[in-house]
Amino acid sequence: TNRHLKISYNGDQIVEVDLTSDPESLKPIELDKEYTFTLTIEFEKTDKLFHSRFDRYLDHEFFKHPIHWFSIFNSFMMVLFLMGLVALILLRTLKKDYARYGIVQDLEDGLMDDDGEKEGLTGEKVEDAGWKQVHGDVFRAPMWLPLFAALVGTGWQLIILTLGVIVFAVLGPVHGEVHEERGEVMQSIIFCYSFSSILAGYTSGRLFKDYFSTMPRRTSGGDTAAMNSLWQAAMGLTVLLLPSVTVFILALLNLVSISYGTINTIPFMVILKLFFLWIFVTVPLCIVGTLLGRHTSKVTVGAGGSASAASTTVFPCRVNAIPRPIPEDVPWYGKPSGLIPLAGLLSFGSIFIELYYVLTSLWNYKFYHVYGFLFGVYCILTIVVGMTSIIVVYFCLNAENYLWQWTAFGSGASTAAYVFLYGVYYFLFKTQMHGFLQTCFYFGYMALISINLGLLCGTLGYSSANRFVRAIFANVKVD
């Protein structure tokens, strides 16, 4: 029944506040008995500086453990390995492919010279095979184009959102550490999400416009009607897809929270404010971005070296009217089903140590403050996802599988599956959570983390593979 409040101050600033109880004053609770509670307040002068007041809560020994540094070094070595592998593909394998395809073209044109290098290459089986074989289909529109455009647009929004929040946190010494002011990270997330929606709309509209010209043609009037209908669908999915999934999961968690009477319930006024922010800021910016993406023009230099307007083509190669069949008797390393899980595993391997620290901060009540580490891991993840997606797409194209867009997206997005599985392991072996309430909240938020990470990594994978595919087909001779 006796409490002691100790207030430590330096000058006119309070640095520490400690509330302790006297164990000897504890008494059992009995019915109809009166108890006297006392509180003693003590002011103590301290030499600790005001800006160091959070040091007692920041577990430096945990977050700056040598294992944390070693994980960064390990991920960096993985980046060097993947970059070397991609360089090998670009500098040696592709160079050999270009030489072989050039010989094929010279043989067809009757311009073949009998020099030593070409004799060595023609000693092998020289034929137009591999990734060049699909030059007339490689830029064909992916299945479910409106959905694909919406996913890529949302992914770019999440890329900018994540980068903006991390950079804001890293600059904490300039504007104030984010752990010192409650809600700063949440405010930066809302701000970046709202104003990055214009990028989501632009990339979605731009991608849809580029690929719509490669879709099967009908009548001219049908084309116009179909485009109007499909691009509106793409815009609607970009606006609604991620918010709908997020609202659905949070609504279920809110219902569970209300039924248990916990303090984690989101108040109605907060929901109303977020809705108005979304409807008056996010949605209009996304629509404006989609219109900009749909109506901007672009000039592309094709394989022949001539510039062509976007109204004609934005791709280095023309798309054939009839799609070619995709070979089925290919080894496992030529099939997306065999490559995508491996790509996701490599990407997950570059971040899983940092993921442990992030989950510990979320569920074990620690202040995460090493945002420099997080920024480094984010850069490493960006490079690893891009490199693995390029490798996967190259192997698939060599197997004459030209459906690379969803394959590239899946290569990056598969990282989220491993993150969710790691979340299951963390729940079972690293936490003491139990009961329906805690289980719902844990897996609800893990599902949100995995979905957003999947969109982010999938977009990184597609964007890297897109630049790679455009580059290799822009430098090859085609009829």
Side-chain angles (χ1 to χ4, degrees), residues 132-146:
K132 188 201 172 186
Q133 195 79 335
V134 298
H135 65 82
D137 298 274
V138 71
F139 295 110
R140 192 176 301 278
M143 295 177 60
W144 306 307
L145 179 57

Side-chain angles (χ1 to χ4, degrees), residues 215-235:
M215 296 180 71
R217 286 292 186 239
R218 304 171 188 169
T219 63
S220 58
D223 275 349
T224 303
M227 184 173 186
N228 289 335
S229 174
L230 289 176
W231 85 261
Q232 290 171 5
M235 181 178 65

Side-chain angles (χ1 to χ4, degrees), residues 107 111-119 122:
L107 286 172
L111 302 175
M112 182 65 189
D113 294 328
D114 294 330
D115 56 78
E117 180 182 358
K118 291 185 177 180
E119 284 181 359
T122 53

Side-chain angles (χ1 to χ4, degrees), residues 135 138-139 300-306 308 313-319 466-467 469-476 478:
H135 65 82
V138 71
F139 295 110
T300 302
V301 178
S306 60
S308 56
T313 178
V314 293
F315 301 118
C317 305
R318 294 188 302 270
V319 177
N466 179 50
R467 294 181 65 88
V469 172
R470 286 174 180 263
I472 64 174
F473 281 94
N475 294 289
V476 73
V478 291

